[in-house]
Amino acid sequence: MSHHLNWPSTWPDSPVLPPDPTARYGEGFDRAIVISGGGLAGLAWGSAYLDGLVSAGVKLADADLVVGTSAGSLLGTELLANDLSTFHKALQLAAKSHIFEHIRSDDDPKPTAAHARALFDDADNGDRETLLAIGHAALAADAPSQYSLFAQVALFVRRLRWPSPALRTTSYDAYTAERHVYAKGGNAHLLHALAASASVPGLMAPVRIGERRLMDGGMRSGANSDIAVGAKKALLIGLVHDPRQGKWTNAPGQWDSEIADFKAAGTDLFSQLPSEELGDPMDATALPLGLRLGAQQATEDAAAITEFWAN
């Protein structure tokens, strides 16, 4: 795999990539897309929004860098595979059939799992000490195994091969608190990388890749947008209505700070968030609202993003 200007020469075989907005990891890329985490509710909104844009003629799959975190990693995969429409229809069916309510088992978590989840939910910073506490609690938690998460991801993604060298998925080492960024040509199978990025502490057990145990990529930043900072043009898609609040290890005001990082690097940026609160990100009953709202916003934004993306 070829490396861009500011990526370590050992990457992707050594996937640790420290968060650093000044590193300009995105420099040398023409068009980047960043899709944040946002749980099931955000996944529904994002699938409807991105599929709506593509259906309107926006050639998002032309991006040469797509950074996906948690739910965003699944959406990035489907976007680059030119299969957003099928993915969107699968989520519409899931909303009608209530399948997630049947296959998920977090209504009555074990005490150790509830502890890990609470640490993650309540954290308002991404300091290393905070991430270590969450990661070690996740490792000790009596939570559903990685194989349960593999099954849920495979149910919707339906592919085993990386769709493009452009895709990056993010996750965090539960033991060391280091960020891992995986891509085609590295040492992670696609299914494992996607599951690791979506492994919410306490909700699922950390995912094993090699000798590492990895948890949700939304640690410290829900979007990991520093990976695209420095690109010529970037589309930043958040899957949470208000990511500015201090929650889920994101510091207060972090979203605005990441937007400022793009602007400081000279990246031409278009950003968007759900226009309404979608509720608990992991509540499957929020799927219909997310699907409806995403489709509506795509219709409203299609003309502006078409012009932005083409020029």
Side-chain angles (χ1 to χ4, degrees), residues 40 43-45 47-48 51 74-75 78 83-101 103 151-159 284 287-288 291:
L40 292 173
L43 185 68
W45 182 90
S47 75
D51 182 54
L74 276 66
L75 292 171
E78 296 304 285
D83 209 12
L84 272 173
S85 179
T86 302
F87 186 81
H88 181 216
K89 290 175 182 176
L91 281 178
Q92 290 175 314
L93 178 61
K96 292 179 180 178
S97 65
H98 305 285
I99 188 172
F100 281 114
E101 289 95 321
I103 64 177
Q152 293 182 43
V153 171
L155 179 65
F156 288 90
V157 173
R158 308 172 325 284
R159 70 189 73 253
L287 286 173
L291 290 165

Side-chain angles (χ1 to χ4, degrees), residues 6-56:
N6 300 312
W7 290 70
S9 61
T10 55
W11 188 90
D13 294 322
S14 299
V16 175
L17 193 71
D20 183 0
T22 68
R24 299 174 67 98
Y25 293 127
E27 192 168 338
F29 291 96
D30 184 45
R31 283 172 170 74
I33 299 174
V34 178
I35 312 172
S36 84
L40 292 173
L43 185 68
W45 182 90
S47 75
Y49 185 73
L50 292 169
D51 182 54
L53 294 178
V54 170
S55 297

Side-chain angles (χ1 to χ4, degrees), residues 40 112 270:
L40 292 173
T112 52
F270 190 110

Side-chain angles (χ1 to χ4, degrees), residues 126 220-223 243-245 249-259 261:
R220 190 179 181 275
S221 168
R244 299 170 180 85
Q245 59 186 322
T249 71
N250 283 232
Q254 185 164 319
W255 178 262
D256 293 333
S257 177
E258 294 188 26
I259 288 176
D261 292 333

